[in-house]
Amino acid sequence: LDDQPVLPVLPDPPDLPWLQSTNVSDSNPTDRMCLRCATTLVVVVAAAFVLSFGVVYGTYAASDTDPFGYVSEADLIAHGSLSMPNDLARQMPWPFAEESFTPAGYGTRADHTIVPTYPPGLPLLMAGFQRLAGRESVYYVVPLLGALAVLMTGRLGHGLGGPAIGVSAAVLLASSPIFLHQVVQPVSDVAATAWWVTALSLTVAGGPVASFGAGLAASMATLTRPNLVPLAAVLAGYLAWSAVRRGGEGRHEVRRLAIFCGAALPGCLAVAWFNAALYGGPLSTGYGDLGKLYSLSHLWPNLQRYPLWLVQLHSPLIVVGVLYPLVHRKTRAGSGAGPMGRDRAWPLLVWVAVVVLSYLVYVPWDGWGYLRFLLPAIPVCIVLSASVVHSLPNRATRRAATGTTAGVTAIGAVATAAWVAWQAYQVVGSGVFTLRDAEQRYVDVGRYLDRATPRESVFITGAHSGSLLYYTGRRTIQYDKLGAGWLDEAVKILTERGYRLYIVLEDAEEGPFRERFGGQTLLGRLDWPPAVQRTEPVQVRIYDPAERPRYMAG
């Protein structure tokens, strides 16, 4: 560079001091500034990519259970309510009538209303967007939070190992298959990840302002995913440990701890109030009995699932972060290990352990998509593993002390590129690019029936029980909660009361529907043609019971 013209000194990137270089000589401010700008640009581009990906490939559908649950809860909050009346169900004679009129993602209460079962964190943000920009704007919340998660992961990586680790971590999260699979859906996994990684990154950054921001992020994270509130205790424990370690000079850390706890407390209180108001007690939840959800008997099935899914989607490199204490056991100041170094890495390891253990004893689920439960730990796994990937060649060649790190930096870059390529290949095969087409059926069927059916209509359905309520405003009956011998009688009773009944089923639901009702009811046979059918990529048929007598009569 000595033979080249001197470049002008660029201004500092605003509000991004966390991407300052620790491996470039202070005697050359031009090089240092160029590296800072370059690494900042890469992290910002990675975040922008995630935001664009979520917007372009987003499902934009209140589909099935979880997406409908969060989007409809946001709609309730935007209209100043947390419940819906269930008066029609009270008038029906069949057993568990109120439960049958309750869509998936909702529960019944003693006051004959139905309430959402999901925590309020994500719906609160969605409701704010809906009030400002309309109902469709709720689908932009998760992509925005996904971009925040990438930025904060880059910050965390820089704190642990310098700019190379920050850039690698941001790019690796931006190409994570499970992360991209969730960033296109209006559910809470990416939101919880964004708030928790923000809280972690700001906590280890230092300073009272950062501690206040970390506490606020922890509040939102608790509102979004209350079962991970022990992570807030991990952060508080880190601040307390820092204060003890400093001894008489730890008053600054004590103040940070007090600020963090004060800012994190409102989220805990808000969750307690929400649970008491909707479910009858501050420790009650919409998910039911916690004793059934969490059990040591779930440990072995989950141990067979989660590690396999994690390695398949993210390559075996995702787990090498467990070697971090060994690789950096001799880290010294000035060795290029980054401003955080080994002394501040232990909360990251504890963080991963808390998240993983929380879901190893949680009720088992089939399908790699449920790896989303571990998303709050995946950015930290990436940061730790990226640091090991970049550091292992350094340790092997023993060049850290002499500063001849160009070769090992290249090795780390190649390993990171291979890791990204593995994840990109998995993304292509994950179905994320076609998910919107599949989920569009909920929107198409809902909007069609909203225009084509009378206001006094009731839909007997399965997977569409929530989406039809959201898009049409009509009541729905879940067929699997209706007694096997009650189908014909339910249709008769509601028809006599002036309602028009329709049966809405996906192709995969017709077999179970016939098995449940076909032996005891005439309508359960589905032996007349559907009035309307939607075909690709998932078939949905709409049957009109009023047409059956005419069809059977020829």
Side-chain angles (χ1 to χ4, degrees):
L1 290 175
D2 293 336
D3 297 332
Q4 301 297 326
V6 177
L7 299 176
V9 177
L10 301 176
D12 289 345
D15 299 325
L16 291 175
W18 43 278
L19 285 177
Q20 297 178 15
S21 171
T22 60
N23 297 321
V24 179
S25 172
D26 291 341
S27 62
N28 195 331
T30 301
D31 284 356
R32 188 173 69 255
M33 191 63 63
C34 288
L35 178 61
R36 185 191 308 174
C37 291
T39 51
T40 298
L41 179 62
V42 174
V43 173
V44 171
V45 167
F49 165 77
V50 168
L51 173 59
S52 302
F53 192 93
V55 170
V56 172
Y57 293 103
T59 60
Y60 298 93
S63 56
D64 206 354
T65 303
D66 289 354
F68 158 72
Y70 287 108
V71 171
S72 63
E73 185 174 344
D75 190 61
L76 286 175
I77 295 173
H79 289 89
S81 175
L82 284 173
S83 63
M84 288 186 285
N86 205 15
D87 294 334
L88 180 60
R90 296 175 58 189
Q91 305 169 25
M92 298 298 107
W94 58 82
F96 306 105
E98 292 192 51
E99 286 78 4
S100 67
F101 276 91
T102 303
Y106 276 68
T108 59
R109 290 201 307 180
D111 62 354
H112 306 293
T113 61
I114 60 175
V115 294
T117 60
Y118 299 94
L122 179 60
L124 277 171
L125 281 178
M126 288 179 164
F129 272 68
Q130 180 170 330
R131 292 294 297 269
L132 291 173
R135 208 179 192 192
E136 291 298 308
S137 66
V138 300
Y139 298 106
Y140 298 107
V141 174
V142 171
L144 285 168
L145 290 173
L148 174 64
V150 172
L151 289 173
M152 291 298 105
T153 301
R155 173 174 186 155
L156 186 65
H158 177 272
L160 187 70
I165 308 305
V167 168
S168 297
V171 173
L172 286 166
L173 181 62
S175 59
S176 164
I178 191 62
F179 184 74
L180 293 179
H181 191 266
Q182 294 305 116
V183 85
V184 300
Q185 303 183 63
V187 292
S188 68
D189 303 278
V190 169
T193 303
W195 292 125
W196 280 123
V197 77
T198 297
L200 176 60
S201 177
L202 293 178
T203 297
V204 300
V209 176
S211 297
F212 181 71
L216 292 180
S219 273
M220 285 303 303
T222 302
L223 280 169
T224 305
R225 188 69 63 83
N227 65 302
L228 290 181
V229 70
L231 293 178
V234 174
L235 299 181
Y238 166 72
L239 293 174
W241 172 77
S242 299
V244 171
R245 189 183 59 165
R246 291 177 179 269
E249 300 178 357
R251 282 181 290 181
H252 173 69
E253 302 299 326
V254 172
R255 186 172 68 158
R256 289 182 59 204
L257 174 60
I259 292 173
F260 170 80
C261 292
L265 183 61
C268 299
L269 296 178
V271 167
W273 172 86
F274 182 85
N275 289 341
L278 267 64
Y279 314 124
L283 298 180
S284 301
T285 73
Y287 294 102
D289 184 5
L290 295 180
K292 296 180 180 179
L293 295 176
Y294 292 93
S295 172
L296 289 177
S297 63
H298 301 152
L299 184 62
W300 177 242
N302 285 327
L303 278 174
Q304 295 176 295
R305 291 171 170 85
Y306 288 123
L308 179 62
W309 295 336
L310 187 65
V311 171
Q312 284 180 337
L313 293 182
H314 297 90
S315 88
L317 291 176
I318 188 70
V319 298
V320 301
V322 298
L323 301 177
Y324 186 91
L326 298 176
V327 173
H328 293 279
R329 66 183 182 274
K330 293 183 180 180
T331 298
R332 299 183 304 271
S335 65
M340 183 186 297
R342 181 171 61 89
D343 290 340
R344 295 188 184 180
W346 72 261
L348 276 65
L349 296 168
V350 174
W351 184 280
V352 173
V354 168
V355 176
V356 171
L357 289 175
S358 295
Y359 286 104
L360 284 181
V361 295
Y362 189 66
V363 60
W365 296 87
D366 289 324
W368 62 264
Y370 290 99
L371 186 63
R372 62 191 175 89
F373 292 152
L374 302 188
L375 259 179
I378 287 178
V380 182
C381 290
I382 287 174
V383 167
L384 291 169
S385 297
S387 179
V388 171
V389 167
H390 281 264
S391 300
L392 273 178
N394 196 337
R395 299 277 299 171
T397 56
R398 300 180 182 277
R399 293 178 177 177
T402 63
T404 56
T405 60
V408 297
T409 300
I411 294 174
V414 170
T416 301
W419 188 351
V420 171
W422 178 300
Q423 294 188 158
Y425 178 78
Q426 298 298 325
V427 169
V428 173
S430 68
V432 66
F433 295 105
T434 59
L435 187 58
R436 182 176 182 177
D437 292 337
E439 300 289 87
Q440 186 64 29
R441 68 189 186 273
Y442 295 97
V443 183
D444 292 344
V445 172
R447 289 177 175 171
Y448 170 78
L449 288 173
D450 183 43
R451 297 190 302 267
T453 59
R455 295 304 305 172
E456 298 298 322
S457 296
V458 176
F459 304 112
I460 301 174
T461 185
H464 292 254
S465 63
S467 58
L468 288 177
L469 175 62
Y470 181 76
Y471 289 111
T472 70
R474 280 84 150 171
R475 299 312 307 268
T476 61
I477 296 175
Q478 291 197 73
Y479 76 82
D480 58 346
K481 295 182 179 179
L482 184 64
W486 278 92
L487 179 60
D488 290 355
E489 188 67 16
V491 171
K492 178 182 177 182
I493 292 172
L494 288 167
T495 300
E496 290 174 349
R497 290 173 176 263
Y499 290 93
R500 186 71 181 269
L501 273 294
Y502 298 91
I503 301 173
V504 183
L505 298 172
E506 295 191 354
D507 187 56
E509 294 175 323
E510 290 196 2
F513 187 90
R514 288 189 176 95
E515 290 179 6
R516 184 176 182 84
F517 300 109
Q520 301 185 45
T521 64
L522 296 176
L523 295 177
R525 301 172 184 175
L526 296 180
D527 52 2
W528 75 103
V532 182
Q533 176 173 298
R534 184 191 187 276
T535 54
E536 298 297 334
V538 178
Q539 291 188 355
V540 183
R541 298 184 182 93
I542 303 169
Y543 293 89
D544 184 354
E547 292 182 352
R548 185 180 183 277
R550 289 181 295 168
Y551 176 78
M552 301 306 292

